[in-house]
Amino acid sequence: MEERPFPAWSCSVEQCLKEYKVKLDKGLSSYEVEKLRERYGWNELSKEKGKPLWRLVLDQFDDILVKILLGAAFISFILAYMHGSESVDSGFEAYVEPFVIMLILVLNAIVGVWQESTAEKALHALKEMQCESGRVLRDGYLVPDLPARELVPGDIIELRVGDKVPADMRVVSLKTLTFRVEQSSLTGEAIPVLKGTSPIAMVDCELQAKENMVFSGTVVVNGTCMCVVVSTGMNTELGKIQKQIHEASLEETDTPLKKKLDEFGGRLTTAIGLVCLIVWITNYRNFLSWEVVDGWPANVQFSFQKCTYYFEIAVALAVAAIPEGLPAVITTSLALGTRKMAQKNAIVRKLPSVETLGCTTVICSDKTGTLTTNQMSVSEFFTLGGKTTTSRIFYVEGTTYDPKDGGIVDWNCYNMDANLQAVAEICAVCNDSGIYSEGRLFRATGLPTEAALKVLVEKMGVPDATIRNKIRDARLAANYLIDSRSVNLGCCDWWNKRSRRIATLEFDRIRKSMSVIAREPTGRNRLLVKGAVESLLDRSSHVQLADGSLVPIDEPCKELLLSKLMEMSSKGLRCLGLAYKDDLGEFSDYNNDSHPAHGKLLDPAFYSSVESDLVFVGVVGLRDPPRDDIDKAIEDCRRAGIKVMVITGDNKSTAEAICQEIRLLAENDLRGRSFTGKEFMDLSPSKQTEILKRPGGIVFSRAEPRHKQEIVRMLKEMGQIVAMTGDGVNDAPALKLADIGIAMGITGTEVAKEASDMVLADDNFGTIVSAVAEGRSIYNNMKAFIRYMISSNVGEVISIFLTAALGIPE
């Protein structure tokens, strides 16, 4: 009986430590570790037993058409041998046909074995994600680099920025105010997740809701904490994914073309057998004769030599009827197809995927990184106008971290008023991120939301015309790059030099904000704040108008700001409020840690009082935007009769907003078309089937790997040909199970790529649509080839059959 796992996420820290019989300041003893290892084993992913080579080779010949060709080769060899013994002149030429047939079959078997052996590479790539060592508390001492495979449940581990998590663990104490983990590859969430120590009320909740758990293979991007190990090896979420990948590899089904060829092979065998039998029986007079005496046959004469001769003709007819070149034609067509698809940025890893793509009826797409760019960007921001009852909205174009990608609509940096200068200053200085370049791709260091704010500042420019021109010239000369990776952010650099940052008040869950103290050119300090809009409004006493004047916030003004916030949130935007404070009291002249008030900055409980009586500046709306032309690709799928479903780990409102924007879902058409993974799995099987059969788009959010895999399995059982796209580790089981798994080439993990049948070089959903069109063309060409070959062979069969039927000498 399988042991029920302890729900550490729904229990308090004290309950967790009690369950694992460990003290936070001591850790496990060496004796306890040995006992626990006997029970749980090593912290490593087990190696699933793959098929032996001889089995893989035999499986390549377990095919009706191949068996027919093997039979044809054997008979051709026997006939060649028999004729060779009768003729002195015949040599190797007599054995050409059986040799060519066998050569074709051997080459096809080699290709098949190579393709199947790649299945194990996905499991190997999964192992590469595991951490090699960690800082572990044992026997009261901190071991700085204990091998990760030696961890057991109950071990106390310290995690810092940049660490790869070595096992599934429960956070038990925070050493910094905030602790964030990048777990998008496992859960599909677009931004790093803030972790804490509070228990989760629900025992049965999805991975994304377990905000006090960190999972094996994910990466710490901010903060330091202490954790207790709760699951190791194959019991971790990474281990469960390995099991699912292995199970999916065992469930692989035949491609549509193979199914049709098997059906064709069965019919061909029957037809050839009947025709051969009829041809042989029709010629019975040539080897069997008799006289009728008193109504009974007499003087029966039988010639074994002639009987064998006509049997050889019938068998030769069978061999002639079989299209020996069919496997070669199919392989060649598929190989040429892969070249064409590669030119369209679709790299095919397995030849049969080419024709499977042409038969696709459903595309199950991930959202983050496939339909969207997986790069946060500011899409709009608003501030108040000339009075508290008016507002102004600025729309921002561009979907990447490239500062040159798009700009602010109808923007004139020469007219940056005091209010817009405050927006730029807060976004640039109250920011810990950076941007670097990998070839044509721009990436962020730090939080994606903060990187998007820096890109916004670059698009806004600076109010100083002289400096603005210098920045422009530097960009043109350096093409935005300082070196091979770092990106020149001249406007942000200008703001940071102008307003020198001297202290940071880190983010926490209570304030829902972070701030910095910056030294202004006047010599006085200013507090720059960004955070949750509602939280900042509650702590703001004034609002800044366009001309820079400050007015008290009244109720109508607050209602206007909140209504604009609701409007932006309904579009799926992540909203950040911006504010500042000039009157800092005892911190007005703060300059370093020797200042008398420095001690208060070490106490997070004091931060709320510092961030009070704020001046509210405006609101910035960010999102992970859809790719260009994605709505056209969706429409192309609709016209081609292909159903598109979105299965994502991101939250429901964001997924719905993106799907409405790309026209997968209608504005008021969410009923029965949007579900979380858990909601869908809780429905009855009949209801699930009914939903999947509905025409039009469907979106599944907060989906775990097992949810994605189960949805793909249901669609296949309904007779659909399923293409699944994805880029994360969480997508790998579904990629493996789908008729064709499609991984992202740029942002995709190695696990996803190795589990897939095809890789998109440009990560663009539109490329899938182009590849499907190419696949359909290749599929139709193959059918035309097959018809041509069969018609040629049928001509031979009919000629010999009619010759025998009409009694014409052979």
Side-chain angles (χ1 to χ4, degrees), residues 378 380-396 408 411 415-427 456 460 533 537 542-551 553 557-558 560-565 567-568 575-580 615-621:
V378 176
E380 60 184 80
F381 64 97
F382 82 85
T383 66
L384 289 181
K387 49 187 178 179
T388 58
T389 55
T390 61
S391 64
R392 50 184 185 166
I393 301 177
F394 300 89
Y395 296 97
V396 185
I408 303 172
W411 179 258
N415 298 326
M416 275 182 73
D417 52 43
N419 179 226
L420 294 175
Q421 288 182 43
V423 170
E425 182 183 12
I426 296 166
C427 289
L456 172 65
M460 292 179 75
V533 179
L537 278 174
H542 291 74
V543 65
Q544 187 183 45
L545 300 182
D547 59 3
S549 60
L550 308 183
V551 294
I553 292 183
C557 175
K558 194 170 184 178
L560 173 66
L561 293 171
L562 289 174
S563 67
K564 290 293 180 184
L565 172 66
E567 186 181 320
M568 291 172 73
C575 297
L576 281 176
L578 308 176
Y580 73 89
V615 176
F616 193 81
V617 173
V619 177
V620 176

Coordinates of all heavy atoms in Angstrom, one line a residue, residues 378 380-396 408 411 415-427 456 460 533 537 542-551 553 557-558 560-565 567-568 575-580 615-621:
V378 N 5.2 47.0 -20.4 CA 4.1 47.9 -20.0 C 3.3 48.2 -21.3 O 3.8 48.5 -22.3 CB 4.8 49.3 -19.6 CG1 3.7 50.3 -19.3 CG2 5.6 49.0 -18.3
E380 N 0.2 50.1 -20.9 CA -0.4 51.4 -20.7 C -0.1 51.9 -19.3 O 0.2 51.1 -18.4 CB -1.9 51.4 -21.0 CG -2.7 50.5 -20.1 CD -4.2 50.4 -20.5 OE1 -4.5 49.7 -21.4 OE2 -5.0 51.1 -19.8
F381 N -0.2 53.2 -19.1 CA -0.1 53.8 -17.8 C -0.9 55.1 -17.8 O -1.2 55.7 -18.8 CB 1.4 54.1 -17.4 CG 2.1 55.1 -18.2 CD1 2.2 56.5 -17.8 CD2 2.7 54.8 -19.4 CE1 2.9 57.4 -18.6 CE2 3.4 55.7 -20.2 CZ 3.5 57.0 -19.8
F382 N -1.4 55.4 -16.6 CA -2.3 56.6 -16.5 C -1.9 57.5 -15.3 O -1.4 57.0 -14.3 CB -3.7 56.3 -16.5 CG -4.3 55.8 -15.2 CD1 -4.8 56.8 -14.2 CD2 -4.4 54.5 -14.8 CE1 -5.3 56.4 -13.0 CE2 -4.9 54.1 -13.6 CZ -5.4 55.0 -12.7
T383 N -2.1 58.7 -15.4 CA -1.9 59.7 -14.3 C -3.1 60.6 -14.3 O -4.0 60.6 -15.2 CB -0.6 60.5 -14.5 OG1 -0.8 61.4 -15.6 CG2 0.6 59.6 -14.6
L384 N -3.2 61.5 -13.3 CA -4.3 62.5 -13.3 C -3.9 63.6 -14.3 O -2.8 63.9 -14.6 CB -4.5 63.1 -11.9 CG -5.2 62.1 -10.9 CD1 -5.4 62.8 -9.6 CD2 -6.5 61.6 -11.4
G385 N -5.0 64.4 -14.7 CA -4.7 65.5 -15.7 C -4.6 66.8 -14.9 O -3.9 66.9 -13.9
G386 N -5.3 67.8 -15.4 CA -5.2 69.1 -14.8 C -5.9 69.3 -13.5 O -5.7 70.3 -12.8
K387 N -6.9 68.3 -13.2 CA -7.6 68.4 -12.0 C -7.9 67.0 -11.5 O -7.7 66.0 -12.3 CB -8.9 69.2 -12.1 CG -9.7 68.8 -13.4 CD -10.9 69.8 -13.5 CE -11.7 69.5 -14.8 NZ -12.8 70.4 -14.9
T388 N -8.4 66.8 -10.3 CA -8.6 65.5 -9.7 C -9.7 64.7 -10.3 O -9.8 63.5 -10.1 CB -8.9 65.6 -8.2 OG1 -10.1 66.4 -8.0 CG2 -7.7 66.3 -7.5
T389 N -10.5 65.3 -11.2 CA -11.6 64.5 -11.8 C -11.3 64.1 -13.2 O -12.2 63.5 -13.9 CB -12.9 65.4 -11.8 OG1 -12.6 66.6 -12.4 CG2 -13.4 65.6 -10.4
T390 N -10.1 64.4 -13.7 CA -9.8 64.0 -15.1 C -8.5 63.1 -15.0 O -7.7 63.3 -14.1 CB -9.5 65.2 -16.0 OG1 -8.4 66.0 -15.4 CG2 -10.7 66.1 -16.1
S391 N -8.4 62.3 -16.0 CA -7.2 61.4 -16.1 C -6.7 61.4 -17.5 O -7.4 61.7 -18.4 CB -7.5 60.0 -15.6 OG -8.5 59.4 -16.4
R392 N -5.5 60.9 -17.7 CA -4.9 60.8 -19.0 C -4.2 59.4 -19.1 O -3.5 59.0 -18.2 CB -3.9 61.9 -19.3 CG -2.9 62.2 -18.2 CD -2.0 63.3 -18.5 NE -1.0 63.5 -17.5 CZ 0.1 64.2 -17.6 NH1 0.3 64.9 -18.7 NH2 1.0 64.3 -16.7
I393 N -4.5 58.8 -20.2 CA -3.9 57.4 -20.4 C -2.9 57.4 -21.6 O -3.2 58.0 -22.6 CB -5.1 56.4 -20.7 CG1 -6.1 56.4 -19.6 CG2 -4.5 55.0 -21.0 CD1 -7.3 55.5 -19.8
F394 N -1.8 56.8 -21.3 CA -0.8 56.7 -22.4 C -0.6 55.2 -22.7 O -0.4 54.3 -21.9 CB 0.6 57.2 -21.8 CG 0.5 58.6 -21.4 CD1 0.2 59.0 -20.1 CD2 0.8 59.6 -22.3 CE1 0.1 60.3 -19.8 CE2 0.8 61.0 -22.0 CZ 0.4 61.3 -20.7
Y395 N -0.7 54.9 -24.0 CA -0.6 53.5 -24.5 C 0.8 53.3 -25.0 O 1.4 54.1 -25.7 CB -1.6 53.2 -25.6 CG -3.1 53.3 -25.1 CD1 -3.8 54.5 -25.3 CD2 -3.6 52.3 -24.4 CE1 -5.1 54.6 -24.8 CE2 -4.9 52.3 -23.9 CZ -5.7 53.5 -24.1 OH -7.0 53.6 -23.6
V396 N 1.3 52.1 -24.7 CA 2.7 51.8 -25.0 C 2.8 50.6 -26.0 O 2.1 49.6 -25.7 CB 3.5 51.4 -23.7 CG1 5.0 51.2 -24.1 CG2 3.4 52.5 -22.7
I408 N 5.9 54.9 -27.1 CA 4.6 55.4 -26.5 C 3.8 56.1 -27.6 O 4.4 57.0 -28.3 CB 4.9 56.3 -25.3 CG1 5.8 55.6 -24.3 CG2 3.7 56.8 -24.7 CD1 6.4 56.5 -23.2
W411 N 3.7 60.2 -28.4 CA 4.5 60.7 -27.3 C 5.5 61.8 -27.7 O 6.1 61.6 -28.8 CB 5.3 59.5 -26.7 CG 6.2 59.9 -25.5 CD1 7.6 60.1 -25.6 CD2 5.8 60.2 -24.2 NE1 8.1 60.4 -24.3 CE2 7.0 60.5 -23.5 CE3 4.6 60.2 -23.5 CZ2 7.0 60.8 -22.1 CZ3 4.6 60.5 -22.2 CH2 5.8 60.8 -21.5
N415 N 7.8 67.3 -24.0 CA 6.7 67.9 -23.1 C 6.5 67.1 -21.8 O 5.4 66.9 -21.3 CB 5.4 67.8 -23.9 CG 5.4 68.7 -25.1 OD1 6.1 69.8 -25.1 ND2 4.7 68.4 -26.2
M416 N 7.6 66.5 -21.4 CA 7.5 65.7 -20.1 C 7.3 66.7 -19.0 O 8.2 67.4 -18.5 CB 8.8 64.9 -19.9 CG 8.8 63.6 -20.6 SD 10.3 62.6 -20.2 CE 10.0 62.1 -18.5
D417 N 6.0 66.7 -18.5 CA 5.7 67.6 -17.3 C 6.3 67.0 -16.0 O 6.8 65.9 -16.0 CB 4.2 67.9 -17.3 CG 3.4 66.6 -17.3 OD1 3.8 65.7 -16.6 OD2 2.4 66.6 -18.0
A418 N 6.1 67.7 -14.9 CA 6.6 67.3 -13.6 C 6.0 65.9 -13.2 O 6.7 65.1 -12.6 CB 6.2 68.3 -12.6
N419 N 4.7 65.7 -13.5 CA 4.1 64.4 -13.2 C 4.7 63.2 -13.9 O 5.0 62.2 -13.3 CB 2.6 64.5 -13.5 CG 1.9 63.2 -13.1 OD1 1.1 62.8 -13.9 ND2 2.1 62.7 -12.0
L420 N 5.0 63.4 -15.2 CA 5.6 62.3 -16.0 C 7.0 62.1 -15.6 O 7.5 61.0 -15.7 CB 5.4 62.6 -17.5 CG 4.0 62.6 -18.0 CD1 3.9 63.1 -19.5 CD2 3.3 61.3 -17.9
Q421 N 7.7 63.2 -15.2 CA 9.1 63.0 -14.8 C 9.1 62.2 -13.5 O 10.0 61.4 -13.3 CB 9.7 64.4 -14.5 CG 10.0 65.2 -15.8 CD 10.7 66.5 -15.5 OE1 11.5 66.6 -14.7 NE2 10.2 67.6 -16.2
A422 N 8.1 62.4 -12.6 CA 8.0 61.6 -11.4 C 7.8 60.1 -11.7 O 8.4 59.2 -11.1 CB 6.9 62.1 -10.5
V423 N 7.0 59.8 -12.7 CA 6.7 58.4 -13.2 C 8.1 57.8 -13.6 O 8.4 56.7 -13.2 CB 5.7 58.4 -14.3 CG1 5.7 57.0 -15.0 CG2 4.3 58.8 -13.8
A424 N 8.8 58.5 -14.5 CA 10.1 58.0 -15.0 C 11.1 57.8 -13.9 O 11.8 56.8 -13.8 CB 10.6 59.0 -16.1
E425 N 11.2 58.8 -12.9 CA 12.1 58.7 -11.9 C 11.9 57.5 -11.0 O 12.8 56.7 -10.7 CB 12.1 60.0 -11.0 CG 13.1 59.9 -9.9 CD 13.0 61.2 -9.0 OE1 12.0 61.9 -9.1 OE2 14.0 61.4 -8.2
I426 N 10.6 57.2 -10.6 CA 10.3 56.1 -9.7 C 10.6 54.8 -10.5 O 11.2 53.9 -9.9 CB 8.8 56.2 -9.3 CG1 8.5 57.4 -8.5 CG2 8.4 54.9 -8.5 CD1 7.1 57.8 -8.3
C427 N 10.2 54.7 -11.7 CA 10.4 53.4 -12.5 C 11.9 53.1 -12.7 O 12.3 52.0 -12.7 CB 9.7 53.5 -13.9 SG 7.9 53.5 -13.8
L456 N 10.2 51.0 -20.2 CA 9.3 52.1 -20.3 C 10.1 53.4 -20.2 O 9.8 54.4 -20.9 CB 8.2 52.0 -19.2 CG 7.3 53.2 -19.1 CD1 6.5 53.4 -20.3 CD2 6.4 53.1 -17.9
M460 N 10.3 56.6 -22.6 CA 9.9 58.0 -22.2 C 11.0 59.0 -22.5 O 10.7 60.2 -22.9 CB 9.5 58.0 -20.7 CG 8.3 57.2 -20.4 SD 8.0 57.2 -18.6 CE 7.3 58.8 -18.4
V533 N -1.7 49.0 -5.9 CA -2.4 50.3 -6.0 C -3.2 50.6 -4.8 O -3.1 51.7 -4.2 CB -3.2 50.4 -7.3 CG1 -3.9 51.7 -7.4 CG2 -2.3 50.1 -8.6
L537 N -2.8 53.8 -2.2 CA -3.8 54.8 -2.1 C -4.2 55.0 -0.6 O -4.5 56.1 -0.2 CB -5.1 54.4 -2.9 CG -5.0 54.7 -4.4 CD1 -6.2 54.2 -5.1 CD2 -4.9 56.3 -4.6
H542 N -2.1 62.9 -0.6 CA -2.1 63.8 -1.8 C -1.9 63.1 -3.1 O -1.4 62.0 -3.1 CB -1.1 64.9 -1.6 CG -1.3 65.9 -0.5 ND1 -1.1 65.5 0.8 CD2 -1.8 67.2 -0.5 CE1 -1.4 66.5 1.6 NE2 -1.8 67.6 0.8
V543 N -2.3 63.8 -4.1 CA -2.1 63.3 -5.5 C -1.5 64.4 -6.3 O -1.7 65.6 -6.1 CB -3.4 62.8 -6.1 CG1 -4.4 63.9 -6.4 CG2 -3.2 62.1 -7.4
Q544 N -0.6 64.0 -7.2 CA 0.1 64.9 -8.1 C -0.6 65.1 -9.4 O -1.0 64.1 -10.1 CB 1.6 64.4 -8.3 CG 2.4 65.5 -9.1 CD 3.8 65.0 -9.4 OE1 3.9 63.8 -9.9 NE2 4.8 65.7 -9.2
L545 N -0.9 66.4 -9.8 CA -1.5 66.7 -11.0 C -0.5 66.8 -12.1 O 0.7 66.8 -11.9 CB -2.4 67.9 -10.9 CG -3.5 67.9 -9.9 CD1 -4.3 69.2 -9.9 CD2 -4.4 66.7 -10.1
A546 N -0.9 67.0 -13.4 CA 0.0 67.0 -14.5 C 1.0 68.2 -14.4 O 2.2 68.0 -14.8 CB -0.8 67.2 -15.8
D547 N 0.6 69.3 -13.8 CA 1.6 70.4 -13.7 C 2.5 70.3 -12.5 O 3.3 71.2 -12.3 CB 0.8 71.7 -13.7 CG -0.1 71.8 -12.5 OD1 -0.1 70.9 -11.7 OD2 -0.8 72.8 -12.4
G548 N 2.4 69.2 -11.8 CA 3.3 69.0 -10.6 C 2.7 69.5 -9.3 O 3.3 69.2 -8.2
S549 N 1.5 70.2 -9.4 CA 0.9 70.7 -8.1 C 0.3 69.5 -7.3 O -0.1 68.5 -7.9 CB -0.2 71.7 -8.4 OG -1.2 71.1 -9.3
L550 N 0.3 69.6 -6.0 CA -0.2 68.6 -5.1 C -1.6 69.0 -4.5 O -1.7 70.2 -4.1 CB 0.8 68.3 -4.0 CG 2.2 68.1 -4.4 CD1 3.0 67.7 -3.1 CD2 2.3 66.9 -5.4
V551 N -2.6 68.1 -4.6 CA -3.9 68.4 -4.0 C -4.3 67.2 -3.1 O -3.9 66.0 -3.4 CB -4.9 68.6 -5.1 CG1 -4.7 69.9 -5.9 CG2 -5.0 67.4 -6.0
I553 N -6.2 64.1 -1.6 CA -7.1 63.1 -2.3 C -8.5 63.1 -1.6 O -8.6 63.0 -0.4 CB -6.5 61.6 -2.1 CG1 -5.2 61.5 -2.9 CG2 -7.5 60.6 -2.5 CD1 -4.6 60.1 -2.9
C557 N -11.9 61.6 -6.3 CA -10.6 61.4 -6.9 C -10.2 59.9 -6.7 O -9.8 59.2 -7.6 CB -9.6 62.3 -6.3 SG -7.9 62.0 -6.9
K558 N -10.5 59.4 -5.5 CA -10.1 58.0 -5.2 C -11.0 57.0 -6.0 O -10.5 56.0 -6.5 CB -10.3 57.7 -3.7 CG -9.7 56.5 -3.2 CD -9.7 56.4 -1.7 CE -9.0 55.1 -1.2 NZ -8.9 55.0 0.3
L560 N -12.3 57.7 -8.9 CA -11.8 57.7 -10.3 C -10.5 56.8 -10.5 O -10.5 56.0 -11.4 CB -11.4 59.2 -10.7 CG -10.7 59.4 -12.0 CD1 -11.7 59.0 -13.2 CD2 -10.2 60.8 -12.2
L561 N -9.6 56.9 -9.5 CA -8.4 56.1 -9.6 C -8.7 54.6 -9.5 O -8.2 53.8 -10.3 CB -7.4 56.5 -8.5 CG -6.8 57.9 -8.6 CD1 -6.1 58.3 -7.3 CD2 -5.9 58.0 -9.8
L562 N -9.6 54.2 -8.7 CA -10.0 52.8 -8.5 C -10.8 52.3 -9.7 O -10.6 51.1 -10.1 CB -10.8 52.6 -7.2 CG -10.0 52.8 -5.9 CD1 -10.9 52.7 -4.7 CD2 -8.9 51.7 -5.8
S563 N -11.6 53.1 -10.3 CA -12.3 52.7 -11.5 C -11.4 52.5 -12.7 O -11.5 51.5 -13.4 CB -13.4 53.7 -11.9 OG -12.8 55.0 -12.3
K564 N -10.4 53.3 -12.8 CA -9.3 53.1 -13.8 C -8.5 51.9 -13.6 O -8.2 51.1 -14.5 CB -8.4 54.3 -13.9 CG -9.0 55.6 -14.5 CD -9.4 55.4 -15.9 CE -10.0 56.7 -16.5 NZ -10.4 56.5 -17.9
L565 N -8.3 51.6 -12.3 CA -7.6 50.4 -11.9 C -8.4 49.1 -12.3 O -7.8 48.2 -12.9 CB -7.3 50.4 -10.4 CG -6.8 49.1 -9.8 CD1 -5.4 48.8 -10.3 CD2 -6.7 49.2 -8.3
E567 N -10.6 48.9 -14.6 CA -10.7 48.9 -16.1 C -9.4 48.2 -16.6 O -9.4 47.3 -17.5 CB -10.8 50.3 -16.6 CG -11.0 50.3 -18.1 CD -11.1 51.8 -18.6 OE1 -11.7 52.6 -17.9 OE2 -10.5 52.1 -19.7
M568 N -8.2 48.5 -16.0 CA -7.0 48.0 -16.5 C -6.9 46.5 -16.1 O -6.4 45.6 -16.8 CB -5.8 48.8 -15.9 CG -5.7 50.1 -16.5 SD -4.4 51.2 -15.7 CE -2.9 50.4 -16.3
C575 N -1.2 45.5 -12.3 CA -1.1 47.0 -12.1 C -0.2 47.3 -10.9 O -0.2 46.7 -9.9 CB -2.5 47.6 -11.9 SG -3.5 47.4 -13.3
L576 N 0.7 48.3 -11.1 CA 1.6 48.8 -10.0 C 1.3 50.3 -9.8 O 1.2 51.1 -10.8 CB 3.0 48.6 -10.4 CG 3.7 47.2 -10.3 CD1 5.1 47.3 -10.8 CD2 3.6 46.8 -8.8
G577 N 1.1 50.7 -8.6 CA 1.0 52.1 -8.2 C 2.3 52.7 -8.0 O 3.3 52.1 -7.5
L578 N 2.5 54.0 -8.3 CA 3.7 54.8 -8.1 C 3.4 56.0 -7.2 O 2.4 56.6 -7.3 CB 4.2 55.3 -9.5 CG 4.4 54.2 -10.6 CD1 4.8 54.9 -11.9 CD2 5.4 53.2 -10.2
A579 N 4.3 56.2 -6.2 CA 4.1 57.3 -5.3 C 5.5 57.8 -4.8 O 6.5 57.2 -5.0 CB 3.3 56.9 -4.1
Y580 N 5.5 59.0 -4.2 CA 6.7 59.5 -3.6 C 6.4 60.3 -2.3 O 5.3 60.6 -2.0 CB 7.5 60.3 -4.6 CG 7.0 61.7 -4.9 CD1 7.3 62.8 -4.1 CD2 6.0 61.9 -5.9 CE1 6.8 64.1 -4.4 CE2 5.5 63.1 -6.2 CZ 5.9 64.2 -5.4 OH 5.3 65.5 -5.7
V615 N 2.5 60.9 -1.8 CA 1.9 61.6 -2.9 C 1.8 60.6 -4.0 O 2.8 60.1 -4.5 CB 2.9 62.8 -3.3 CG1 2.3 63.5 -4.6 CG2 3.1 63.8 -2.2
F616 N 0.5 60.4 -4.4 CA 0.2 59.4 -5.4 C 0.5 60.0 -6.8 O 0.0 61.1 -7.1 CB -1.2 58.9 -5.3 CG -1.5 57.6 -6.1 CD1 -1.2 56.4 -5.6 CD2 -2.1 57.7 -7.4 CE1 -1.4 55.2 -6.4 CE2 -2.3 56.6 -8.1 CZ -2.0 55.3 -7.6
V617 N 1.2 59.2 -7.6 CA 1.7 59.7 -8.9 C 0.9 59.2 -10.1 O 0.4 59.9 -11.0 CB 3.2 59.5 -9.1 CG1 3.6 59.8 -10.6 CG2 4.0 60.2 -8.1
G618 N 0.7 57.8 -10.1 CA 0.0 57.2 -11.3 C 0.0 55.7 -11.2 O 0.5 55.1 -10.2
V619 N -0.5 55.0 -12.2 CA -0.6 53.6 -12.2 C 0.0 53.0 -13.6 O -0.3 53.6 -14.6 CB -2.0 53.1 -12.1 CG1 -2.1 51.6 -12.2 CG2 -2.6 53.5 -10.8
V620 N 0.8 52.0 -13.5 CA 1.4 51.4 -14.7 C 0.8 50.0 -14.8 O 0.7 49.2 -13.9 CB 2.9 51.2 -14.5 CG1 3.5 50.5 -15.7 CG2 3.6 52.6 -14.4
G621 N 0.4 49.7 -16.0 CA -0.2 48.3 -16.3 C 0.7 47.5 -17.2 O 1.2 47.9 -18.2

